[in-house]
Amino acid sequence: MAKPRGGGGGGGLLDLEGHYAFYGAYHSNPVNVGIHELFVWPIFLTALILLHLTAPSAHAAGIGAAVYAAYYFLLDRRAGALAALLCYLCWAASGALAARLGFSVGWKVVLVAQLVCWTMQFIGHGVFEKRAPALFDNLVQAFLMAPFFVLLEILHTFGGYEPYPGFHDKVSKLIEEARKEWEDKKSKKSS
């Protein structure tokens, strides 16, 4: 079980509260969150297909999936185990799809899927969230956290899951503080 960390930030690479709060501050609108829940994991899957098709090492997609899986497991063992399983399933499916499609069709499928998924996310941010995506402020953190964030959101929404008791209350406060700070900066820039 994940352990609460003080302060909600600055805890480093394994600070689940800090990462969740950072990412959550960019995803408060329910429509935008829903868009991300639908389109983040397909981005991960198609990125793995691209690695199967183009990487110089035959093991690149497996290594990428394993890194994500291990990271999620270290953040929270219970939800991380499910995320690791999803990473493994994406790796297996991506390998099968890459082999079936081949390079000449596969890269086109990846391109279309990536364009659709990314376009939907930018629409979610521009139209519903009215805030630029997290990747503009922290590219690595956004790419690492996005699949796990949406999984945690789904688990919480449909099962009331929390990495530890009080997690969502604590990160909700951190998210609200971060959003207020962003809105204050935005209003200062416009005045």
Side-chain angles (χ1 to χ4, degrees), residues 4-23:
R5 289 170 173 63
L13 190 62
L14 299 178
D15 179 10
L16 179 58
E17 286 176 7
H19 293 306
Y20 190 95
F22 170 80
Y23 200 77

Side-chain angles (χ1 to χ4, degrees), residues 41-127:
W41 279 94
I43 288 172
F44 181 76
L45 172 69
T46 55
L48 292 177
I49 293 172
L50 191 61
L51 284 175
H52 279 290
L53 294 171
T54 63
S57 167
H59 304 293
I63 291 167
V67 167
Y68 272 75
Y71 181 61
Y72 298 151
F73 185 77
L74 290 172
L75 284 172
D76 176 46
R77 281 181 272 173
R78 292 179 297 161
L82 177 58
L85 175 63
L86 291 173
C87 289
Y88 171 76
L89 292 173
C90 284
W91 169 76
S94 67
L97 285 167
R100 183 164 179 88
L101 297 173
F103 179 79
S104 64
V105 173
W107 77 266
K108 294 170 189 166
V109 169
V110 168
L111 178 64
V112 169
Q114 289 275 326
L115 285 173
V116 168
C117 292
W118 282 107
T119 299
M120 290 304 298
Q121 289 193 72
F122 281 107
I123 288 170
H125 279 281
V127 175

